[in-house]
């Protein structure tokens, strides 16, 4: 018998929900239903598919307060921040807005002799394996364009946010999207791999760990199944000598600490020009000391527990190792009495760090950031590139040309100037190196869930 999956709440360690995964037979039946439903769904007018997807998103608003409370129980985000639904709307609306133009055939010739064009056709069945840290936003990045383009979708959510997939399915089904067109499923790792190995899907979008991405690639090997992988990150910030210091502190510390540091593009390491270093560190420490660690349902709480005590244990180990190797912690955990040695973890700033330390090289995904002094652009670029990851970088300067020139030398998917930790739906969300491959959002997001199809039609016989 398949072992149930338990969702342990980081709020109090209780079991918040349990679900039994599908057997392999049940899972294969679900994918078969999705494949049978795909062509009828794709045959519907584009405007109808768009309207149904937008109606599904609108249905989330009707139960938004309930969903925000559920998110706090599932992964610990303070309720004061109100969930993710503004971003869900923004991304859905943008992808809907560009759909007609992006999915329209590119006409090469339409003459009396030939009709030649490149069309875009839905790939078929799209499998989304979603993470827990921004469970609605990360899902919608692929869900909205996949359905709009005419695919059917099977969603497997992280065990830490089991209820999110159910809520999305309820909202989209209530809007009129057929049950077989969008299915939420609970799967264990073995069944997930079995489905991919047996070509149950035409495209797999996975957001998660590097190890998880490796497992996906191994499962898909030899199947020619398309993969989109957003994996780890160790995103850097660079504060140049001409930066607005206060703005840099406020944004970079928020980028490092928001959501208890559990952001795909959160700031995990900062390089500051030597002329601003002391002031930046002093102001950053004051900023972090203003945070309130506590129960996510308390209105005063600005940083809640990490999603699971084992995630917090990773961060504690990285900090302890760094301190043992000579790093200096600047935040006294006693200032955060809610730190219980488990999921509730006090934020931390480390100085006297270097790249021999795990905390500066491996993903932390928690409320800790290391700050290093640099002499200028060349040293900062070298440090930013000294990483196995490449998702985003954040450059703080008044000089747009300098930011562009630096960004061109950084191995990353997105270059920010004077901001960080943000997804623009008009720009491709992508990464390089161990961060993964593929891209979502922007017009390129539709390319991931469609394939080109060429038409070469000769209108005469001679």
């Amino acid at each position: 018998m398949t072992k149930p999956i338990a969702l342990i709440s980081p709020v109090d360690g209780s079991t918040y929900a349990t679900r039994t995964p599908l057997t392999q037979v049940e899972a294969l039946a679900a994918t078969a239903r999705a494949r049978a439903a795909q062509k009828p769904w794709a045959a519907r007018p584009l405007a109808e598919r768009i309207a149904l997807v937008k109606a599904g998103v609108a249905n989330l608003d009707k139960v938004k307060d309930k969903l925000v409370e559920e998110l706090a129980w599932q992964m610990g985000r303070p309720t004061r921040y109100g969930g993710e639904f503004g971003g869900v709307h923004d991304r859905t609306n943008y992808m809907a807005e560009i759909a007609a133009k992006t999915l329209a055939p590119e006409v090469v010739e339409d003459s009396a002799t030939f009709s030649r064009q490149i069309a875009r056709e839905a790939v078929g069945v799209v499998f989304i394996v979603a993470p827990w840290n921004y469970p609605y936003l990360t899902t919608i990045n692929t869900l909205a364009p996949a359905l709009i383009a005419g695919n059917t979708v099977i969603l497997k959510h992280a065990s830490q946010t089991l209820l999110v997939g159910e809520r999305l399915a309820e909202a989209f089904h209530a809007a009129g999207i057929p049950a077989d067109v969008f299915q939420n499923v609970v799967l264990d790792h073995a069944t997930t791999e079995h489905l991919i190995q047996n070509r149950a899907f035409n495209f797999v979008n996975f957001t998660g760990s590097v190890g998880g991405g490796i497992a996906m690639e191994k499962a898909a090997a030899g199947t020619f199944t398309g993969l989109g992988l957003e994996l780890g990150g160790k995103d850097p910030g660079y504060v140049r000598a001409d930066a607005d210091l206060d703005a840099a502190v406020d944004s970079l510390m928020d980028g490092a600490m928001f959501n208890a540091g559990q952001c795909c593009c959160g700031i995990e390491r900062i390089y500051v020009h030597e002329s601003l270093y002391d002031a930046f560190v002093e102001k950053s420490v004051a900023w972090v000391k203003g945070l309130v660690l506590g129960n996510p349902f308390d209105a005063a709480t600005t940083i809640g527990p990490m999603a699971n005590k084992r995630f917090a244990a990773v961060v504690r180990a990285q900090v302890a190792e760094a301190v043992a190797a000579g790093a200096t912690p600047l935040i006294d955990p006693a200032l955060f009495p809610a730190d219980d040695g488990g999921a509730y973890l006090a934020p931390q700033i480390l100085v006297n760090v270097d790249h021999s330390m795990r905390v500066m090289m491996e993903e932390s995904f928690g409320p800790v950031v290391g700050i290093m002094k640099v002499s200028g652009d060349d040293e900062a670029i070298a440090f930013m590139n000294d990483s196995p990851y490449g998702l985003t970088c954040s450059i703080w300067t008044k000089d747009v040309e300098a930011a562009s020139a630096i960004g061109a030398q950084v191995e990353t998917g997105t270059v920010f100037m004077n901001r960080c930790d943000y997804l623009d739906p008009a720009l491709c969300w992508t990464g390089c190196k161990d961060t993964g491959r593929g891209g979502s959002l922007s017009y390129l997001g539709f390319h991931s869930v469609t394939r080109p199809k060429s038409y070469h039609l000769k209108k005469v016989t001679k």
Side-chain angles (χ1 to χ4, degrees):
M1 183 175 179
T2 308
K3 181 181 178 182
I5 293 174
L7 191 174
I8 306 301
S9 173
V11 176
D12 58 6
S14 64
T15 299
Y16 186 64
T18 58
R19 297 291 185 270
T20 301
L22 299 180
T23 65
Q24 287 189 3
V25 171
E26 292 169 333
L28 286 168
T31 61
R33 293 195 301 272
R35 194 162 298 283
Q38 190 269 317
K39 290 195 180 299
W41 171 250
R44 296 197 188 194
L46 175 61
E48 181 181 335
R49 297 197 302 268
I50 290 173
L52 288 170
V53 168
K54 293 177 74 171
V57 170
N59 281 340
L60 295 173
D61 287 335
K62 298 175 183 178
V63 290
K64 182 167 60 177
D65 291 344
K66 173 186 176 182
L67 302 187
V68 168
E69 180 178 327
E70 285 183 350
L71 278 176
W73 280 112
Q74 292 176 90
M75 49 76 66
R77 185 184 304 132
T79 54
R80 66 182 289 160
Y81 297 118
E84 308 164 14
F85 305 106
V88 168
H89 277 284
D90 290 345
R91 297 176 193 184
T92 302
N93 290 341
Y94 182 79
M95 297 307 286
E97 178 185 322
I98 67 169
K101 179 180 179 181
T102 304
L103 298 174
E106 180 182 340
V107 178
V108 177
E109 179 183 356
D110 188 13
S111 68
T113 308
F114 288 102
S115 175
R116 296 184 294 140
Q117 64 181 26
I118 303 171
R120 298 214 67 88
E121 187 173 271
V123 294
V125 181
V126 171
F127 184 40
I128 301 174
V129 184
W132 50 262
N133 63 322
Y134 283 92
Y136 287 97
L137 282 170
T138 51
T139 301
I140 210 68
N141 290 350
T142 302
L143 177 61
L147 290 175
I148 287 171
N151 300 282
T152 51
V153 173
I154 291 183
L155 169 64
K156 173 196 175 301
H157 229 295
S159 59
Q160 197 65 48
T161 42
L162 282 173
L163 299 188
V164 171
E166 295 177 8
R167 299 296 175 253
L168 282 163
E170 290 166 0
F172 278 57
H173 295 164
I177 292 177
D180 290 342
V181 168
F182 173 36
Q183 299 178 62
N184 173 66
V185 298
V186 179
L187 303 173
D188 59 23
H189 293 319
T191 300
T192 299
E193 292 177 6
H194 180 76
L195 292 174
I196 296 172
Q197 289 166 348
N198 284 272
R199 305 189 185 203
F201 312 110
N202 301 99
F203 178 72
V204 177
N205 177 263
F206 172 80
T207 305
S209 68
V210 174
I214 291 171
M216 291 288 168
E217 286 202 324
K218 286 182 177 178
T223 69
F224 307 112
T225 301
L227 295 176
L229 305 172
E230 185 198 324
L231 311 176
K234 194 73 182 174
D235 291 9
Y238 170 38
V239 182
R240 297 184 81 234
D242 66 338
D244 181 324
L245 184 61
D246 289 334
V249 168
D250 187 58
S251 289
L252 290 173
M253 286 302 106
D254 184 64
M257 302 298 168
F258 187 76
N259 206 36
Q262 300 166 129
C263 302
C264 298
C265 54
I267 297 296
E268 297 211 358
R269 52 198 174 107
I270 301 174
Y271 307 100
V272 184
H273 189 271
E274 56 194 7
S275 65
L276 296 180
Y277 178 82
D278 290 341
F280 182 89
V281 169
E282 180 181 359
K283 288 176 178 288
S284 294
V285 169
W287 194 99
V288 170
K289 286 181 177 179
L291 293 172
V292 178
L293 174 67
N295 188 299
F297 298 103
D298 188 331
T301 295
T302 55
I303 181 170
M306 293 189 66
N308 192 291
K309 63 182 181 181
R310 71 178 186 274
F311 305 150
V314 170
V315 181
R316 286 192 172 92
Q318 287 185 353
V319 171
E321 289 174 17
V323 172
T328 303
L330 300 181
I331 305 297
D332 183 355
L335 295 171
F336 297 88
D339 187 330
D340 62 354
Y344 288 84
L345 173 64
Q348 187 57 267
I349 292 174
L350 297 172
V351 294
N352 298 322
V353 289
D354 60 52
H355 280 211
S356 70
M357 300 173 181
R358 279 204 305 151
V359 77
M360 293 300 287
M361 295 297 289
E362 295 183 12
E363 186 171 40
S364 301
F365 220 61
V368 59
V369 66
I371 306 176
M372 291 176 61
K373 183 187 301 183
V374 294
S375 59
D377 294 348
D378 289 344
E379 189 174 22
I381 291 166
F383 279 134
M384 285 191 280
N385 284 338
D386 184 26
S387 171
Y389 303 109
L391 185 56
T392 79
C393 72
S394 176
I395 302 167
W396 289 79
T397 178
K398 296 181 176 68
D399 189 334
V400 176
E401 291 185 0
S404 296
I406 293 166
Q409 298 179 68
V410 179
E411 297 158 351
T412 189
T414 296
V415 176
F416 290 116
M417 172 180 163
N418 298 337
R419 80 177 313 173
C420 61
D421 193 22
Y422 174 75
L423 272 72
D424 182 341
L427 299 178
C428 184
W429 189 243
T430 187
C432 60
K433 301 195 283 190
D434 284 1
T435 290
R437 60 188 174 94
S440 60
L441 300 177
S442 79
Y443 74 93
L444 292 172
F446 277 114
H447 287 193
S448 296
V449 294
T450 59
R451 65 180 182 89
K453 189 171 187 178
S454 295
Y455 289 83
H456 190 127
L457 310 179
K458 186 178 179 183
K459 298 179 181 179
V460 295
T461 57
K462 295 182 180 180

